Amino acid sequence: MKLSGLSYLSSEEWILNQCKNKYFVLLENGIDSAYFKKTILKSNGIIHEFKNGQSITGIIPYGMGKSQKSNYVVINTENILSIKSNRHILYEAPYYLDKSKHELGVSQYFYVILKKSEDIKQLEELAEFNNVIIEGNNKYMPLIYILSCSKKSQGNALEMANIFYETDLFQTTEPDFLTKISTYCVEDTFFSDYQWNLNNTGQEIYNNHHGLAGIDINICDAWQRTTGNN
């Protein structure tokens, strides 16, 4: 399966190929990895990774949006259909490979940048039609909205980002990719804690306010392609 991805920095499009049998799975609150492995996966797969407390910060909540901390696992299974139907699974999405063979997971979130503030009405209509939730917008860049998907949505966050982009109603969109790129891709004492615009991990900024992870210029990704030419 091939899907296109977009970078809101440059609106560059590239082709992604779905990884075989590897998935991001969002669990219902109260379900941990041990329970998931024993009662849901059984012999169908192996848990690769577990993280407690995935959440978003640094946004102004919008409408019914109420992002909560949720557990997720990255699994390897050949029987995703039986997993998707489980009542403890809130959302699942496959991993993808880019042209450099880097793995990209897709969380339940995607970003939409409005052309102007009045476009919120169009965003509301599309969100309702596709069964996605508008979680809120960025405190410091109010035209950037974050939306979340579930099993009820018309697709995963990558598919929804593509659908919203293709309407040409918005400036651009981008799914919340999960990568293994290191936070420390440069030897700079202040890079991780202070230069949020280069690599935003949700770190504390501006007097105890927290940034929104992913809202940055993707400098680590850019430097993997080029560091410039004198």
Side-chain angles (χ1 to χ4, degrees):
M1 179 180 182
K2 291 186 177 181
L3 286 171
S4 61
L6 285 163
S7 168
Y8 67 76
L9 174 62
S10 63
S11 293
E12 178 187 356
E13 186 175 22
W14 67 95
I15 299 300
L16 301 177
N17 294 283
Q18 184 174 325
C19 291
K20 184 179 180 180
N21 304 332
K22 189 170 185 179
Y23 296 87
F24 168 95
V25 176
L26 187 69
L27 304 177
E28 182 181 50
N29 284 335
I31 304 299
D32 60 23
S33 60
Y35 177 86
F36 179 81
K37 185 174 182 179
K38 180 179 179 181
T39 65
I40 302 176
L41 277 182
K42 297 180 181 177
S43 61
N44 294 325
I46 299 172
I47 293 179
H48 282 284
E49 182 180 351
F50 172 73
K51 181 177 180 179
N52 187 11
Q54 190 216 19
S55 63
I56 53 175
T57 59
I59 68 167
I60 302 172
Y62 188 85
M64 298 300 292
K66 51 177 182 178
S67 177
Q68 298 178 348
K69 288 186 176 182
S70 300
N71 298 330
Y72 73 82
V73 288
V74 177
I75 65 171
N76 188 335
T77 180
E78 296 180 355
N79 193 8
I80 190 63
L81 291 179
S82 65
I83 302 234
K84 291 172 66 173
S85 62
N86 189 281
R87 64 185 177 87
H88 296 302
I89 303 301
L90 302 180
Y91 167 86
E92 58 79 23
Y95 266 66
Y96 298 91
L97 291 174
D98 66 13
K99 64 181 181 181
S100 299
K101 304 300 181 183
H102 294 135
E103 287 190 347
L104 299 170
V106 182
S107 83
Q108 72 271 37
Y109 300 121
F110 67 101
Y111 306 103
V112 175
I113 305 182
L114 305 185
K115 293 180 180 178
K116 55 185 184 302
S117 58
E118 291 78 11
D119 292 338
I120 184 61
K121 182 63 177 178
Q122 297 175 111
L123 185 66
E124 289 176 334
E125 292 174 353
L126 268 178
E128 182 178 3
F129 181 80
N130 289 285
N131 288 318
V132 299
I133 295 175
I134 302 175
E135 296 287 354
N137 61 324
N138 187 278
K139 290 181 179 180
Y140 308 105
M141 293 173 281
L143 291 182
I144 300 178
Y145 281 79
I146 185 168
L147 296 85
S148 63
C149 302
S150 69
K151 287 197 296 188
K152 298 178 181 179
S153 302
Q154 297 298 318
N156 63 45
L158 173 59
E159 294 165 333
M160 288 294 96
N162 274 319
I163 287 174
F164 277 58
Y165 181 80
E166 288 169 357
T167 65
D168 200 32
L169 295 172
F170 312 108
Q171 185 179 154
T172 193
T173 67
E174 183 174 351
D176 179 36
F177 283 124
L178 307 170
T179 71
K180 293 183 178 180
I181 295 174
S182 172
T183 301
Y184 303 99
C185 62
V186 61
E187 293 184 9
D188 186 333
T189 305
F190 301 104
F191 181 73
S192 177
D193 293 332
Y194 299 105
Q195 298 177 26
W196 65 269
N197 57 307
L198 300 181
N199 190 55
N200 195 335
T201 60
Q203 64 265 54
E204 184 177 302
I205 57 175
Y206 302 136
N207 298 322
N208 297 320
H209 292 292
H210 287 271
L212 179 58
I215 300 299
D216 52 50
I217 66 170
N218 293 329
I219 196 66
C220 292
D221 287 335
W223 282 339
Q224 285 195 334
R225 300 188 181 193
T226 179
T227 55
N229 189 317
N230 291 333

